[in-house]
Amino acid sequence: ENLCLEYVQNFRSNFVRLFPKRNELYLTAKNEFKVEKFVCTTIRPTQLQFRELYDLNKCAEFVAHFLDYEPLENAVEPPSTLPSSTQVLDWGVGDSFDFATLLASFLLGAGYDAYVVHGYAPKYICECDQSQTACPLVAEVSDKADAKDEGEKNPQDVGDDEIAEAKGSDNDDALDADEQAPLSEEKKDDLLDAPSGEYKLKAHGVIESKFLMSAAEDADSKDAPGAGGAPISKAFTPQPVRWDSDDEDEKQVQENEIASSDPLHGKRVHCWVLVRGGKRGVPEMLFVEPSTARIYPVSESPYQGIEAVWNAKNYWVNMQTEKDLVSHSYDFGNNDLWEFVFIDNGPIALVEKEQGERSMMDMLNDPIVDEEKEANEEEEEEKEGVEDEEVDDILDIPESWVNKLKIDRSKFNIRYPPYGLKVVLYKKAKLELFAEGFHDQGMVSRLTVFKDVARTVVKESVENFVNRRDKLMKRIRKPLERMVHESFDPGRPSSLKYLVEWAGKRREMHFYVNARLDGLLCREEDMGKKIVEKFEGRGDNLTYRSIAVKESLESGNSTFVLPGGAHNPDLVVLKMTEKYERNDEKDASEDVAKRTFYVKENKVRTQYHYAKSCITRNTFNYDKERSAEDVGDQLEVVRDAEKECLSEVRRARNETADLITMRKHEELEIIIDQPVFESASSRRDEERKVQEILEEQEQGDKRQLDYLTPFLMSIDPKDLTREDAMKVKENCLKALKDRLLERANIIQNRLNEENKELAKYQAAFQRNQRDNDPDAEEQFEKECSEAMFRIQILEQRLVQHEESALKKYKDMDNKLVADPRLSVLRHG
């Protein structure tokens, strides 16, 4: 290691002599013990046991949140001290160099091609100030919302077509016919040429070949500079890599810095991590900011320059004069662009293909190459011996002096030490992060988006939860729209998946259809206007049910009235519609496609499926006021279907009311379930604590039952003299002797009493023997047998006590001699 430092110092002096105008290289720094170390040996590649740290994004987020960031003391110079990552984890705080070293150690251990970069960055990055940058999660949420809402209705716009359909059925026949009938070519052309505002078909455009498009993309990616020839993995997508608002916000911040005449603009020293493409599915060069966990492609990074990069194997000095990092080459095997410190095979050279250069596959398939290879084999064999001698003389970089990095699971679970909470402020947004199990509602993150820069008017709030008994996973609130969107994990009663509600306007409930017996997929309700249910995989082929209603304060016909609840008016059913999918086992003329119940007009219409190659279908209209004799059995079938439909509507209404009531109760009494592994760990901790308490009590009992305690109460054991020790010994032996004699006397007394009782029994028997009483003789034999048994036991106890008393007395004498508190007897 000393030889390495000497070699590095020699490299530094030669570099300064050749390039006197360059800033001093950051080759060595003192560690926490004030010992000079080469910066490459401070990196300790380590793979931790936590699966979350095996991914680039998760690992960067953990480092950014686990440590507290502090700017450099001198903004234009690197730190004089570079402590080990072990010490940084223990401190829980570090600068950009500490962050980058720790993150590079984790990424190298996880298999990434990572490097620590020493360069220059804007002020807001050096100070970890994100208050003027866009929150990356805001763009993710908005993109997902746009993708989800594409093609869906705005709840505020719902009602025109539905209300018209509910109020009257004059043009219902025509609409339903157009809805099911296939369109002819002439009708399609008419619809395509229809003016705006009328119904028209979407033009499909020109069909393009996906194969040709992918081939063109592959060709472009091979010719693209900066890719380094690394294979691009489509499965890997660094998240987050780019957001729509990043470029504008960061450029605006940089312009503000220049406008404010920052005297250190372009000179602020910073350290970050470079991840090269090719390993672990990384498709391109990426810059990772360790203090914020943001990932930038090189072409979109805000950094302003690079002095040097290093990893655990070597150190490279940037010799490129261009300030734009996009035009930089990151081929560390090119000695004209990157000057290495140690001679090493280094990374695989990222040689860019030139025009006219043959590909590797062409070279492998070319027989000329094979002949040249065979011709050069002999020359290579001759040079092997000389090369081996030269390799032996090359100085190797020492191993890392840092111990293997370790993080206790208890600290890892905190995530955001010391209190398990972290707040990050962005432009018009605030992100609150909670460690799992630290929030009383099971919340792990809350993103609040504001409409103003001062962060006073809330536009949207996104909350994520874990381990909740009610299976709530995510909640989105939009106060200005009075909308609440809740997402649930599988396992809830009634298999609820999503619950979306616009207060007083609309409610949507989506379900896990595979977990329901009725195949209900979703239920949508426009308050006081319409209820729509969609089904999937039912045995009766039902796919759709809708109920058009209106609010009414009058009871009217109670048969078609849905109770509105305590504070809501009743709902009068105007129309009910059911749709069925095709059943191939039935003939099309007998397979019902749609059945509409016009409650207000007291009519029913049944439409059947189209037969193959037919543009017409069977349609029957029924008037429920007519007698069954005029229409036949079909009217009874229709009436039964209407009753069943109304019954299902009432059941769905009750289920919705019960579900809403349950949700209110669950929010009032939130229950958090502890994970299985944490429960087992908690149980082990409790058992260990109980065992420690029992051991402490046992040690206390032993101290209280010490055999010398009664004899040392009036004497200080530390100042014990020989006379005092002899007195303690004699008193202890005397107490033992008295106790043994007392025990022997007790046994002897009981033996004497038994002998006296036996003598009384014998004398009484001799006096009564004249009477020749057989019962008395039998009683005497029994009492004598019992008395002799007790006498025999007492005699055996007395003999055993005499033998054990001598042994106990001798053992106590030896114990007193060996007792360290009476050692004065041995050394005196």
Side-chain angles (χ1 to χ4, degrees), residues 96-115:
S96 60
F97 285 79
D98 301 330
F99 272 69
T101 302
L102 178 61
L103 180 57
S105 300
F106 287 156
L107 293 180
L108 287 172
Y112 289 96
D113 192 10
Y115 302 82

Side-chain angles (χ1 to χ4, degrees), residues 316-331:
W316 294 270
V317 183
N318 185 16
M319 307 302 297
Q320 302 173 71
T321 58
E322 297 86 354
K323 294 184 178 181
D324 186 10
L325 299 183
V326 179
S327 59
H328 272 45
S329 172
Y330 297 92
D331 179 12

